[in-house]
Coordinates of all heavy atoms in Angstrom, one line a residue:
Chain B
E144 N -30.7 4.2 -9.7 CA -29.7 3.9 -8.7 C -29.2 2.5 -8.6 O -28.9 2.0 -7.5 CB -30.3 4.4 -7.3 CG -30.0 5.8 -6.9 CD -28.5 6.1 -6.7 OE1 -28.0 5.9 -5.6 OE2 -27.9 6.6 -7.7
E145 N -29.0 1.9 -9.7 CA -28.4 0.5 -9.7 C -27.0 0.7 -9.2 O -26.5 -0.2 -8.4 CB -28.4 -0.1 -11.1 CG -28.0 -1.5 -11.2 CD -26.5 -1.7 -11.5 OE1 -25.8 -0.8 -11.8 OE2 -26.1 -2.9 -11.6
E146 N -26.3 1.7 -9.6 CA -24.9 1.9 -9.2 C -24.7 2.3 -7.7 O -23.6 2.2 -7.2 CB -24.2 3.0 -10.1 CG -24.3 2.7 -11.6 CD -23.3 1.6 -12.0 OE1 -22.6 0.9 -11.1 OE2 -23.1 1.4 -13.2
G147 N -25.8 2.8 -7.1 CA -25.7 3.2 -5.7 C -24.9 4.4 -5.4 O -24.4 4.6 -4.3
T148 N -24.7 5.2 -6.4 CA -23.8 6.4 -6.3 C -24.4 7.4 -5.3 O -23.6 8.1 -4.5 CB -23.5 7.0 -7.6 OG1 -23.1 6.0 -8.5 CG2 -22.3 8.0 -7.5
Q149 N -25.7 7.6 -5.4 CA -26.3 8.7 -4.5 C -26.4 8.2 -3.1 O -26.1 9.0 -2.2 CB -27.7 8.9 -5.0 CG -28.5 9.9 -4.3 CD -28.0 11.4 -4.4 OE1 -27.4 11.9 -3.5 NE2 -28.2 11.9 -5.6
F150 N -26.8 7.0 -2.8 CA -27.1 6.5 -1.5 C -26.2 5.4 -1.0 O -26.4 4.8 0.1 CB -28.6 6.1 -1.3 CG -29.5 7.3 -1.3 CD1 -30.3 7.7 -2.4 CD2 -29.6 8.1 -0.1 CE1 -31.1 8.8 -2.3 CE2 -30.4 9.2 0.0 CZ -31.2 9.5 -1.2
G151 N -25.2 5.0 -1.8 CA -24.3 3.9 -1.3 C -25.0 2.5 -1.3 O -24.5 1.6 -0.7
R152 N -26.1 2.4 -1.9 CA -26.8 1.1 -2.0 C -27.0 0.7 -3.4 O -27.8 1.4 -4.1 CB -28.2 1.2 -1.3 CG -28.2 1.7 0.1 CD -27.6 0.6 1.0 NE -27.7 1.1 2.4 CZ -28.5 0.5 3.3 NH1 -29.3 -0.5 3.0 NH2 -28.5 1.0 4.5
V153 N -26.3 -0.3 -3.8 CA -26.5 -0.8 -5.2 C -27.8 -1.4 -5.4 O -28.5 -1.8 -4.5 CB -25.3 -1.8 -5.7 CG1 -24.0 -1.1 -5.6 CG2 -25.4 -3.0 -4.8
L154 N -28.3 -1.5 -6.7 CA -29.6 -2.1 -7.0 C -30.8 -1.4 -6.3 O -31.8 -2.1 -6.0 CB -29.6 -3.6 -6.8 CG -28.4 -4.4 -7.2 CD1 -28.6 -5.9 -6.8 CD2 -28.1 -4.3 -8.7
L155 N -30.6 -0.2 -5.9 CA -31.6 0.4 -5.1 C -33.0 0.4 -5.7 O -34.0 -0.1 -5.0 CB -31.3 1.9 -4.7 CG -32.2 2.6 -3.7 CD1 -31.5 2.8 -2.4 CD2 -32.8 3.8 -4.3
G156 N -33.2 0.8 -6.9 CA -34.5 0.8 -7.5 C -35.1 -0.6 -7.6 O -36.3 -0.8 -7.2
S157 N -34.3 -1.5 -8.1 CA -34.9 -2.9 -8.3 C -35.1 -3.6 -7.0 O -36.0 -4.5 -6.9 CB -34.0 -3.7 -9.2 OG -32.7 -3.8 -8.8
R158 N -34.4 -3.2 -5.9 CA -34.6 -3.8 -4.6 C -36.0 -3.4 -4.0 O -36.5 -4.1 -3.2 CB -33.5 -3.5 -3.6 CG -32.3 -4.4 -3.9 CD -31.1 -3.7 -3.2 NE -30.2 -4.7 -2.7 CZ -29.1 -4.4 -1.9 NH1 -28.9 -3.2 -1.5 NH2 -28.3 -5.3 -1.5
F159 N -36.4 -2.2 -4.4 CA -37.8 -1.8 -4.0 C -38.8 -2.5 -4.7 O -39.9 -2.8 -4.2 CB -37.9 -0.2 -4.1 CG -37.5 0.5 -2.9 CD1 -36.2 1.0 -2.7 CD2 -38.4 0.7 -1.8 CE1 -35.8 1.7 -1.6 CE2 -38.0 1.4 -0.7 CZ -36.7 1.9 -0.6
I160 N -38.5 -2.9 -6.0 CA -39.4 -3.7 -6.8 C -39.6 -5.1 -6.1 O -40.7 -5.6 -6.0 CB -39.0 -3.8 -8.2 CG1 -39.0 -2.4 -8.9 CG2 -39.8 -4.8 -9.0 CD1 -38.3 -2.4 -10.3
S161 N -38.5 -5.7 -5.8 CA -38.5 -7.1 -5.3 C -39.0 -7.1 -3.8 O -39.4 -8.2 -3.3 CB -37.2 -7.7 -5.3 OG -36.3 -7.1 -4.4
G162 N -39.0 -6.0 -3.1 CA -39.4 -6.0 -1.7 C -38.3 -6.2 -0.8 O -38.5 -6.2 0.5
E163 N -37.1 -6.3 -1.3 CA -35.9 -6.4 -0.4 C -35.7 -5.1 0.4 O -35.3 -5.2 1.6 CB -34.7 -6.7 -1.2 CG -33.5 -7.1 -0.3 CD -32.2 -7.3 -1.2 OE1 -32.3 -7.6 -2.4 OE2 -31.1 -7.1 -0.6
L164 N -36.0 -4.0 -0.2 CA -36.1 -2.7 0.5 C -37.6 -2.3 0.6 O -38.3 -2.6 -0.3 CB -35.3 -1.7 -0.2 CG -33.8 -1.9 -0.2 CD1 -33.1 -0.8 -1.1 CD2 -33.2 -1.9 1.2
C165 N -37.9 -1.7 1.7 CA -39.3 -1.4 1.9 C -39.5 0.0 2.5 O -38.5 0.8 2.6 CB -40.0 -2.4 2.9 SG -39.2 -2.4 4.5
D166 N -40.7 0.4 2.8 CA -41.0 1.8 3.1 C -40.1 2.4 4.2 O -39.6 3.5 4.1 CB -42.4 2.0 3.5 CG -42.8 3.5 3.4 OD1 -42.6 4.1 2.4 OD2 -43.3 4.0 4.5
E167 N -39.8 1.6 5.3 CA -39.0 2.1 6.4 C -37.6 2.4 5.9 O -36.9 3.3 6.5 CB -38.9 1.0 7.5 CG -40.2 0.8 8.3 CD -41.1 -0.3 7.6 OE1 -40.7 -1.4 7.8 OE2 -42.1 0.0 7.0
D168 N -37.1 1.7 4.9 CA -35.8 2.0 4.4 C -35.6 3.4 3.9 O -34.5 3.9 3.9 CB -35.4 0.9 3.4 CG -35.2 -0.5 4.0 OD1 -34.5 -0.6 5.0 OD2 -35.9 -1.4 3.5
R169 N -36.7 4.0 3.5 CA -36.6 5.4 3.0 C -36.1 6.3 4.1 O -35.6 7.4 3.8 CB -38.0 5.8 2.5 CG -38.5 5.1 1.3 CD -39.9 5.5 1.0 NE -40.5 4.5 0.1 CZ -40.6 4.8 -1.3 NH1 -40.1 5.9 -1.8 NH2 -41.1 3.8 -2.0
D170 N -36.3 6.0 5.4 CA -35.8 6.8 6.5 C -34.4 6.3 6.9 O -33.7 7.1 7.5 CB -36.8 6.8 7.6 CG -38.2 7.3 7.3 OD1 -38.2 8.4 6.6 OD2 -39.2 6.6 7.5
R171 N -34.2 5.1 6.7 CA -32.9 4.5 7.2 C -31.7 4.9 6.3 O -30.6 5.0 6.7 CB -32.9 3.0 7.2 CG -33.8 2.4 8.4 CD -33.6 0.9 8.4 NE -34.8 0.3 9.1 CZ -35.6 -0.5 8.6 NH1 -35.4 -1.0 7.4 NH2 -36.6 -1.0 9.3
I172 N -32.1 5.0 5.0 CA -31.0 5.2 4.0 C -30.8 6.7 3.8 O -31.7 7.5 3.6 CB -31.4 4.6 2.6 CG1 -31.4 3.0 2.8 CG2 -30.5 5.0 1.5 CD1 -32.0 2.3 1.6
S173 N -29.5 7.2 3.9 CA -29.3 8.6 3.6 C -28.0 8.8 2.9 O -27.1 7.9 2.8 CB -29.2 9.4 5.0 OG -28.3 8.8 5.8
N174 N -27.9 9.9 2.2 CA -26.7 10.1 1.4 C -25.6 10.8 2.2 O -25.7 11.1 3.4 CB -27.0 10.9 0.1 CG -27.6 12.2 0.3 OD1 -27.5 12.8 1.5 ND2 -28.3 12.8 -0.7
D175 N -24.5 11.2 1.5 CA -23.3 11.8 2.2 C -23.7 13.1 2.8 O -23.0 13.5 3.8 CB -22.2 12.0 1.2 CG -21.5 10.7 0.9 OD1 -21.7 9.7 1.6 OD2 -20.7 10.6 -0.1
S176 N -24.7 13.8 2.3 CA -25.1 15.0 2.9 C -26.1 14.8 4.1 O -26.6 15.8 4.6 CB -25.8 15.9 1.8 OG -25.1 15.9 0.6
G177 N -26.4 13.6 4.4 CA -27.3 13.3 5.5 C -28.7 13.4 5.2 O -29.6 13.2 6.0
E178 N -29.0 13.5 3.9 CA -30.4 13.6 3.4 C -31.0 12.2 3.3 O -30.3 11.3 2.7 CB -30.4 14.3 2.0 CG -31.6 14.9 1.5 CD -31.3 15.5 0.1 OE1 -30.2 15.3 -0.4 OE2 -32.2 16.2 -0.4
T179 N -32.2 12.0 3.9 CA -32.7 10.6 3.7 C -33.3 10.4 2.3 O -33.6 11.3 1.6 CB -33.9 10.4 4.7 OG1 -35.0 11.3 4.4 CG2 -33.4 10.6 6.2
L180 N -33.4 9.1 2.0 CA -34.0 8.7 0.7 C -35.4 9.3 0.6 O -35.9 9.8 -0.4 CB -34.1 7.2 0.6 CG -34.8 6.6 -0.6 CD1 -34.3 7.2 -1.9 CD2 -34.6 5.1 -0.5
R181 N -36.2 9.3 1.7 CA -37.6 9.8 1.7 C -37.6 11.3 1.3 O -38.3 11.7 0.4 CB -38.3 9.6 3.0 CG -39.8 9.9 2.9 CD -40.5 9.8 4.3 NE -40.4 8.4 4.9 CZ -41.1 7.3 4.5 NH1 -42.0 7.4 3.5 NH2 -40.9 6.2 5.1
D182 N -36.7 12.1 1.9 CA -36.6 13.5 1.6 C -36.2 13.8 0.2 O -36.7 14.6 -0.5 CB -35.7 14.3 2.6 CG -36.4 14.3 4.0 OD1 -37.6 14.1 4.1 OD2 -35.6 14.6 5.0
R183 N -35.1 13.0 -0.2 CA -34.6 13.2 -1.5 C -35.6 12.9 -2.6 O -35.7 13.6 -3.6 CB -33.3 12.4 -1.7 CG -32.6 12.5 -3.0 CD -31.7 13.7 -2.9 NE -31.2 14.1 -4.3 CZ -30.2 14.9 -4.5 NH1 -29.6 15.5 -3.5 NH2 -29.9 15.2 -5.7
W184 N -36.3 11.8 -2.3 CA -37.4 11.4 -3.3 C -38.4 12.5 -3.5 O -38.8 12.8 -4.6 CB -38.0 10.1 -2.8 CG -39.4 9.8 -3.3 CD1 -40.5 10.0 -2.6 CD2 -39.7 9.5 -4.7 NE1 -41.6 9.8 -3.5 CE2 -41.1 9.5 -4.7 CE3 -39.0 9.3 -5.8 CZ2 -41.8 9.2 -5.9 CZ3 -39.7 9.0 -7.0 CH2 -41.1 8.9 -7.0
R185 N -38.9 13.0 -2.3 CA -39.9 14.1 -2.4 C -39.5 15.2 -3.3 O -40.2 15.7 -4.1 CB -40.2 14.6 -1.0 CG -41.3 13.9 -0.3 CD -41.9 14.7 0.9 NE -42.4 13.8 1.9 CZ -41.7 13.6 3.1 NH1 -40.6 14.2 3.4 NH2 -42.2 12.7 3.9
A186 N -38.2 15.7 -3.0 CA -37.7 16.8 -3.8 C -37.5 16.4 -5.3 O -37.8 17.3 -6.2 CB -36.3 17.2 -3.2
Y187 N -37.2 15.2 -5.5 CA -37.0 14.7 -6.9 C -38.3 14.5 -7.6 O -38.4 14.9 -8.8 CB -36.2 13.4 -6.8 CG -36.1 12.7 -8.2 CD1 -35.3 13.1 -9.2 CD2 -37.0 11.6 -8.4 CE1 -35.2 12.4 -10.4 CE2 -36.9 10.9 -9.6 CZ -36.1 11.3 -10.6 OH -36.0 10.6 -11.8
A188 N -39.3 13.9 -7.0 CA -40.5 13.5 -7.7 C -41.6 14.5 -7.7 O -42.4 14.6 -8.6 CB -41.0 12.2 -7.1
G189 N -41.6 15.4 -6.7 CA -42.6 16.4 -6.6 C -44.0 15.8 -6.5 O -44.2 14.8 -5.8
D190 N -44.9 16.3 -7.3 CA -46.3 15.9 -7.2 C -46.7 14.9 -8.4 O -47.9 14.8 -8.7 CB -47.2 17.1 -7.3 CG -47.0 17.9 -6.0 OD1 -46.7 17.4 -5.0 OD2 -47.1 19.2 -6.1
R191 N -45.7 14.3 -9.0 CA -46.1 13.4 -10.1 C -46.9 12.3 -9.7 O -46.7 11.7 -8.6 CB -44.8 12.8 -10.7 CG -44.0 13.8 -11.6 CD -42.8 13.2 -12.2 NE -42.1 14.2 -12.9 CZ -41.4 15.2 -12.3 NH1 -41.2 15.2 -11.0 NH2 -40.8 16.1 -13.1
P192 N -47.8 11.8 -10.5 CA -48.6 10.6 -10.1 C -47.6 9.4 -10.2 O -46.9 9.3 -11.2 CB -49.7 10.5 -11.2 CG -49.2 11.3 -12.3 CD -48.2 12.3 -11.8
V193 N -47.7 8.5 -9.2 CA -46.8 7.4 -9.2 C -47.6 6.1 -8.8 O -48.6 6.3 -8.1 CB -45.6 7.6 -8.3 CG1 -44.6 8.6 -8.8 CG2 -46.0 7.9 -6.9
V194 N -47.0 5.0 -9.1 CA -47.6 3.7 -8.7 C -46.6 3.1 -7.7 O -45.4 3.5 -7.6 CB -47.8 2.7 -9.8 CG1 -48.8 3.4 -10.9 CG2 -46.5 2.3 -10.4
P195 N -47.1 2.2 -6.8 CA -46.1 1.6 -5.9 C -45.0 0.8 -6.6 O -45.3 0.2 -7.6 CB -47.0 0.6 -5.0 CG -48.4 1.1 -5.3 CD -48.4 1.7 -6.6
A196 N -43.8 0.9 -6.1 CA -42.7 0.2 -6.7 C -42.8 -1.3 -6.6 O -42.5 -2.1 -7.5 CB -41.4 0.6 -6.0
R197 N -43.2 -1.8 -5.5 CA -43.3 -3.2 -5.2 C -44.1 -4.0 -6.2 O -45.3 -3.6 -6.5 CB -43.9 -3.4 -3.8 CG -44.1 -4.8 -3.3 CD -42.8 -5.3 -2.6 NE -43.0 -6.5 -1.8 CZ -42.8 -7.7 -2.3 NH1 -42.4 -7.9 -3.5 NH2 -43.1 -8.8 -1.6
R198 N -43.5 -5.0 -6.8 CA -44.2 -5.9 -7.8 C -44.4 -7.2 -7.1 O -43.4 -7.8 -6.6 CB -43.4 -6.0 -9.1 CG -43.2 -4.7 -9.8 CD -44.4 -4.2 -10.5 NE -44.8 -4.9 -11.6 CZ -44.7 -4.6 -12.9 NH1 -44.3 -3.4 -13.2 NH2 -45.2 -5.3 -13.9
L199 N -45.5 -7.8 -7.2 CA -45.7 -9.1 -6.6 C -45.3 -10.2 -7.5 O -45.5 -10.2 -8.7 CB -47.2 -9.3 -6.2 CG -47.7 -8.3 -5.1 CD1 -49.2 -8.5 -4.8 CD2 -46.8 -8.4 -3.8
P200 N -44.8 -11.3 -6.9 CA -44.5 -12.5 -7.7 C -45.8 -13.0 -8.3 O -46.9 -12.8 -7.7 CB -44.0 -13.6 -6.6 CG -43.6 -12.7 -5.5 CD -44.4 -11.5 -5.5
G201 N -45.8 -13.4 -9.5 CA -47.0 -13.8 -10.2 C -47.5 -12.7 -11.2 O -48.2 -12.9 -12.1
S202 N -47.0 -11.4 -10.9 CA -47.4 -10.3 -11.8 C -46.5 -10.2 -12.9 O -46.7 -9.4 -13.9 CB -47.5 -9.0 -11.0 OG -46.2 -8.5 -10.6
I203 N -45.3 -10.9 -12.8 CA -44.3 -10.8 -13.9 C -44.0 -12.2 -14.4 O -43.7 -13.1 -13.6 CB -43.0 -10.1 -13.4 CG1 -43.3 -8.8 -12.7 CG2 -42.0 -10.0 -14.5 CD1 -42.1 -8.2 -12.0
K204 N -44.1 -12.4 -15.7 CA -43.8 -13.7 -16.3 C -42.3 -13.9 -16.4 O -41.8 -15.0 -16.1 CB -44.4 -13.9 -17.6 CG -44.2 -15.2 -18.3 CD -44.9 -15.3 -19.6 CE -44.6 -16.6 -20.3 NZ -45.3 -17.8 -19.6
A205 N -41.6 -12.9 -16.8 CA -40.1 -13.0 -17.0 C -39.5 -11.6 -17.0 O -40.2 -10.7 -17.5 CB -39.9 -13.7 -18.3
F206 N -38.3 -11.6 -16.6 CA -37.5 -10.4 -16.8 C -36.2 -10.7 -17.6 O -35.6 -11.8 -17.3 CB -37.1 -9.8 -15.4 CG -36.1 -8.7 -15.5 CD1 -36.5 -7.4 -16.0 CD2 -34.7 -8.8 -15.2 CE1 -35.6 -6.4 -16.1 CE2 -33.8 -7.8 -15.3 CZ -34.3 -6.5 -15.8
I207 N -35.9 -9.9 -18.5 CA -34.7 -10.2 -19.4 C -34.0 -8.9 -19.6 O -34.5 -7.9 -20.0 CB -35.1 -10.9 -20.7 CG1 -33.9 -11.3 -21.5 CG2 -36.1 -10.1 -21.5 CD1 -34.2 -12.3 -22.6
E208 N -32.7 -9.0 -19.2 CA -31.8 -7.7 -19.2 C -30.7 -7.9 -20.2 O -29.9 -8.8 -20.1 CB -31.3 -7.5 -17.8 CG -30.4 -6.2 -17.7 CD -30.0 -5.9 -16.2 OE1 -30.3 -6.7 -15.3 OE2 -29.4 -4.8 -16.0
L209 N -30.6 -6.9 -21.1 CA -29.4 -6.9 -21.9 C -28.4 -5.9 -21.3 O -28.8 -4.8 -20.8 CB -29.8 -6.4 -23.3 CG -28.6 -6.1 -24.3 CD1 -29.1 -6.4 -25.8 CD2 -28.1 -4.7 -24.3
H210 N -27.1 -6.2 -21.3 CA -26.1 -5.4 -20.6 C -24.8 -5.6 -21.4 O -24.6 -6.6 -22.0 CB -25.9 -5.8 -19.2 CG -25.4 -4.7 -18.3 ND1 -24.1 -4.3 -18.3 CD2 -26.0 -3.9 -17.4 CE1 -23.9 -3.3 -17.5 NE2 -25.1 -3.0 -16.9
D211 N -24.0 -4.6 -21.4 CA -22.6 -4.8 -21.9 C -21.8 -5.7 -21.0 O -22.1 -5.7 -19.7 CB -21.9 -3.5 -22.3 CG -21.6 -2.6 -21.2 OD1 -22.5 -2.5 -20.3 OD2 -20.6 -2.0 -21.1
E212 N -20.9 -6.5 -21.5 CA -20.2 -7.5 -20.7 C -19.4 -6.8 -19.6 O -19.3 -7.4 -18.5 CB -19.3 -8.3 -21.6 CG -18.6 -9.4 -20.8 CD -17.4 -10.0 -21.6 OE1 -17.2 -9.7 -22.8 OE2 -16.6 -10.7 -20.9
Q213 N -18.8 -5.7 -19.8 CA -17.9 -5.1 -18.9 C -16.6 -5.9 -18.6 O -15.9 -5.7 -17.6 CB -18.6 -4.8 -17.5 CG -19.9 -3.9 -17.7 CD -20.5 -3.6 -16.3 OE1 -21.2 -4.4 -15.7 NE2 -20.2 -2.4 -15.8
G214 N -16.4 -6.8 -19.5 CA -15.2 -7.6 -19.4 C -14.7 -8.0 -20.8 O -15.4 -7.7 -21.8
P215 N -13.6 -8.6 -21.0 CA -13.0 -8.8 -22.3 C -13.3 -10.2 -23.0 O -12.8 -10.5 -24.1 CB -11.5 -8.7 -22.1 CG -11.4 -9.3 -20.7 CD -12.6 -9.0 -19.9
L216 N -14.1 -11.0 -22.3 CA -14.2 -12.4 -22.7 C -14.8 -12.6 -24.1 O -14.3 -13.3 -25.0 CB -15.0 -13.2 -21.7 CG -15.1 -14.7 -21.9 CD1 -13.7 -15.4 -21.8 CD2 -16.0 -15.4 -20.9
L217 N -16.0 -11.9 -24.3 CA -16.6 -12.0 -25.6 C -15.8 -11.5 -26.8 O -15.6 -12.1 -27.8 CB -18.0 -11.3 -25.6 CG -19.0 -11.8 -24.6 CD1 -20.3 -10.9 -24.6 CD2 -19.4 -13.3 -25.0
E218 N -15.2 -10.3 -26.5 CA -14.3 -9.8 -27.6 C -13.1 -10.7 -27.9 O -12.8 -11.0 -29.0 CB -13.8 -8.4 -27.2 CG -13.0 -7.7 -28.3 CD -12.4 -6.4 -27.8 OE1 -11.6 -6.3 -26.9 OE2 -12.8 -5.3 -28.4
N219 N -12.5 -11.2 -26.8 CA -11.3 -12.0 -27.0 C -11.6 -13.4 -27.7 O -10.8 -14.0 -28.3 CB -10.6 -12.3 -25.7 CG -9.9 -11.1 -25.2 OD1 -9.9 -10.0 -25.8 ND2 -9.2 -11.2 -24.1
T220 N -12.9 -13.8 -27.5 CA -13.2 -15.1 -28.1 C -14.1 -14.9 -29.3 O -14.7 -15.9 -29.8 CB -14.0 -16.0 -27.0 OG1 -15.2 -15.2 -26.6 CG2 -13.1 -16.4 -25.8
Q221 N -14.2 -13.6 -29.7 CA -15.0 -13.3 -30.9 C -16.4 -13.9 -30.9 O -16.8 -14.6 -31.8 CB -14.2 -13.7 -32.2 CG -12.9 -12.9 -32.3 CD -12.2 -13.2 -33.6 OE1 -11.7 -14.3 -33.9 NE2 -12.3 -12.3 -34.6
T222 N -17.1 -13.6 -29.8 CA -18.4 -14.2 -29.6 C -19.4 -13.0 -29.6 O -19.1 -12.0 -29.0 CB -18.5 -14.9 -28.2 OG1 -17.4 -15.9 -28.2 CG2 -19.8 -15.6 -28.0
D223 N -20.6 -13.2 -30.2 CA -21.5 -12.1 -30.4 C -22.3 -11.9 -29.1 O -22.5 -10.7 -28.7 CB -22.6 -12.4 -31.5 CG -21.9 -12.6 -32.8 OD1 -21.1 -11.7 -33.2 OD2 -22.3 -13.5 -33.6
I224 N -22.7 -13.0 -28.4 CA -23.6 -12.9 -27.3 C -23.2 -13.7 -26.1 O -22.8 -14.9 -26.3 CB -25.0 -13.3 -27.7 CG1 -25.6 -12.5 -28.9 CG2 -26.0 -13.4 -26.5 CD1 -26.0 -11.1 -28.5
G225 N -23.2 -13.2 -24.9 CA -22.9 -14.0 -23.7 C -24.3 -14.3 -23.1 O -25.1 -13.4 -22.9
I226 N -24.5 -15.5 -22.7 CA -25.8 -15.9 -22.0 C -25.4 -16.2 -20.6 O -24.6 -17.1 -20.3 CB -26.4 -17.1 -22.7 CG1 -26.7 -16.8 -24.2 CG2 -27.7 -17.5 -22.0 CD1 -27.2 -18.0 -25.0
V227 N -25.9 -15.4 -19.7 CA -25.4 -15.5 -18.3 C -26.0 -16.7 -17.6 O -27.3 -16.9 -17.6 CB -25.8 -14.2 -17.5 CG1 -25.4 -14.3 -16.0 CG2 -25.1 -13.0 -18.1

Side-chain angles (χ1 to χ4, degrees):
Chain B
E144 268 294 275
E145 189 262 1
E146 301 285 7
T148 314
Q149 178 70 252
F150 285 103
R152 302 288 183 111
V153 298
L154 315 180
L155 185 111
S157 56
R158 283 164 147 186
F159 271 92
I160 295 172
S161 69
E163 190 186 332
L164 293 176
C165 62
D166 195 55
E167 291 90 71
D168 291 307
R169 294 173 194 262
D170 300 312
R171 286 188 202 121
I172 293 173
S173 54
N174 62 15
D175 286 345
S176 316
E178 200 178 8
T179 64
L180 173 54
R181 191 181 303 281
D182 289 344
R183 183 83 193 192
W184 155 256
R185 271 198 210 105
Y187 167 79
D190 296 326
R191 284 182 184 78
V193 293
V194 302
R197 179 87 165 94
R198 300 285 292 248
L199 294 179
S202 72
I203 306 171
K204 181 177 178 68
F206 172 73
I207 180 164
E208 180 174 7
L209 176 147
H210 205 284
D211 60 324
E212 180 197 351
Q213 304 185 277
L216 188 63
L217 295 176
E218 183 182 66
N219 285 4
T220 56
Q221 296 186 290
T222 308
D223 297 316
I224 300 290
I226 304 173
V227 174

